[in-house]
PDB file of all heavy atoms in Angstrom:
ATOM      1  N   MET B   1      32.540 179.189 124.710  1.00 50.00           N
ATOM      2  CA  MET B   1      32.288 178.118 125.661  1.00 50.00           C
ATOM      3  C   MET B   1      33.465 177.150 125.687  1.00 50.00           C
ATOM      4  O   MET B   1      33.971 176.756 124.654  1.00 50.00           O
ATOM      5  CB  MET B   1      31.047 177.402 125.152  1.00 50.00           C
ATOM      6  CG  MET B   1      30.196 176.680 125.987  1.00 50.00           C
ATOM      7  SD  MET B   1      29.747 175.642 127.178  1.00 50.00           S
ATOM      8  CE  MET B   1      30.437 174.111 126.942  1.00 50.00           C
ATOM      9  N   GLU B   2      33.902 176.802 126.877  1.00 67.00           N
ATOM     10  CA  GLU B   2      35.063 175.916 126.968  1.00 67.00           C
ATOM     11  C   GLU B   2      34.638 174.473 126.738  1.00 67.00           C
ATOM     12  O   GLU B   2      33.585 174.044 127.185  1.00 67.00           O
ATOM     13  CB  GLU B   2      35.706 176.038 128.345  1.00 67.00           C
ATOM     14  CG  GLU B   2      36.713 177.159 128.396  1.00 67.00           C
ATOM     15  CD  GLU B   2      37.433 177.133 129.740  1.00 67.00           C
ATOM     16  OE1 GLU B   2      36.850 176.675 130.727  1.00 67.00           O
ATOM     17  OE2 GLU B   2      38.576 177.568 129.770  1.00 67.00           O
ATOM     18  N   ASN B   3      35.505 173.740 126.086  1.00 84.00           N
ATOM     19  CA  ASN B   3      35.230 172.346 125.804  1.00 84.00           C
ATOM     20  C   ASN B   3      36.109 171.486 126.703  1.00 84.00           C
ATOM     21  O   ASN B   3      37.293 171.333 126.472  1.00 84.00           O
ATOM     22  CB  ASN B   3      35.544 172.093 124.321  1.00 84.00           C
ATOM     23  CG  ASN B   3      35.160 170.705 123.909  1.00 84.00           C
ATOM     24  OD1 ASN B   3      34.496 170.000 124.672  1.00 84.00           O
ATOM     25  ND2 ASN B   3      35.572 170.312 122.728  1.00 84.00           N
ATOM     26  N   ILE B   4      35.496 170.961 127.779  1.00 86.00           N
ATOM     27  CA  ILE B   4      36.300 170.222 128.754  1.00 86.00           C
ATOM     28  C   ILE B   4      36.209 168.717 128.493  1.00 86.00           C
ATOM     29  O   ILE B   4      35.116 168.158 128.405  1.00 86.00           O
ATOM     30  CB  ILE B   4      35.828 170.546 130.189  1.00 86.00           C
ATOM     31  CG1 ILE B   4      36.092 172.037 130.452  1.00 86.00           C
ATOM     32  CG2 ILE B   4      36.560 169.692 131.203  1.00 86.00           C
ATOM     33  CD1 ILE B   4      35.666 172.508 131.798  1.00 86.00           C
ATOM     34  N   VAL B   5      37.376 168.094 128.360  1.00 88.00           N
ATOM     35  CA  VAL B   5      37.409 166.647 128.082  1.00 88.00           C
ATOM     36  C   VAL B   5      38.409 165.975 129.025  1.00 88.00           C
ATOM     37  O   VAL B   5      39.334 166.621 129.501  1.00 88.00           O
ATOM     38  CB  VAL B   5      37.842 166.348 126.632  1.00 88.00           C
ATOM     39  CG1 VAL B   5      36.885 166.937 125.631  1.00 88.00           C
ATOM     40  CG2 VAL B   5      39.263 166.823 126.380  1.00 88.00           C
ATOM     41  N   PRO B   6      38.198 164.665 129.277  1.00 88.00           N
ATOM     42  CA  PRO B   6      39.247 163.927 129.992  1.00 88.00           C
ATOM     43  C   PRO B   6      40.486 163.847 129.098  1.00 88.00           C
ATOM     44  O   PRO B   6      40.361 163.794 127.873  1.00 88.00           O
ATOM     45  CB  PRO B   6      38.663 162.528 130.187  1.00 88.00           C
ATOM     46  CG  PRO B   6      37.235 162.618 129.806  1.00 88.00           C
ATOM     47  CD  PRO B   6      37.046 163.817 128.946  1.00 88.00           C
ATOM     48  N   MET B   7      41.641 163.830 129.728  1.00 88.00           N
ATOM     49  CA  MET B   7      42.867 163.886 128.940  1.00 88.00           C
ATOM     50  C   MET B   7      42.989 162.730 127.949  1.00 88.00           C
ATOM     51  O   MET B   7      43.543 162.903 126.861  1.00 88.00           O
ATOM     52  CB  MET B   7      44.078 163.904 129.858  1.00 88.00           C
ATOM     53  CG  MET B   7      45.313 164.292 129.121  1.00 88.00           C
ATOM     54  SD  MET B   7      46.410 165.247 130.113  1.00 88.00           S
ATOM     55  CE  MET B   7      47.255 163.995 130.946  1.00 88.00           C
ATOM     56  N   GLU B   8      42.455 161.562 128.324  1.00 86.00           N
ATOM     57  CA  GLU B   8      42.552 160.421 127.405  1.00 86.00           C
ATOM     58  C   GLU B   8      41.948 160.701 126.042  1.00 86.00           C
ATOM     59  O   GLU B   8      42.307 160.072 125.056  1.00 86.00           O
ATOM     60  CB  GLU B   8      41.772 159.221 127.960  1.00 86.00           C
ATOM     61  CG  GLU B   8      42.450 158.447 129.020  1.00 86.00           C
ATOM     62  CD  GLU B   8      41.575 158.430 130.252  1.00 86.00           C
ATOM     63  OE1 GLU B   8      40.629 157.631 130.324  1.00 86.00           O
ATOM     64  OE2 GLU B   8      41.862 159.280 131.114  1.00 86.00           O
ATOM     65  N   LEU B   9      40.989 161.630 126.019  1.00 86.00           N
ATOM     66  CA  LEU B   9      40.289 161.860 124.757  1.00 86.00           C
ATOM     67  C   LEU B   9      40.956 162.905 123.879  1.00 86.00           C
ATOM     68  O   LEU B   9      40.473 163.197 122.790  1.00 86.00           O
ATOM     69  CB  LEU B   9      38.834 162.274 125.027  1.00 86.00           C
ATOM     70  CG  LEU B   9      38.009 161.203 125.744  1.00 86.00           C
ATOM     71  CD1 LEU B   9      36.559 161.635 125.854  1.00 86.00           C
ATOM     72  CD2 LEU B   9      38.111 159.865 125.015  1.00 86.00           C
TER      73      LEU B   9
END
Side-chain angles (χ1 to χ4, degrees):
Chain B
M1 205 316 305
E2 273 186 332
N3 186 10
I4 296 179
V5 299
M7 194 145 84
E8 281 122 81
L9 297 185

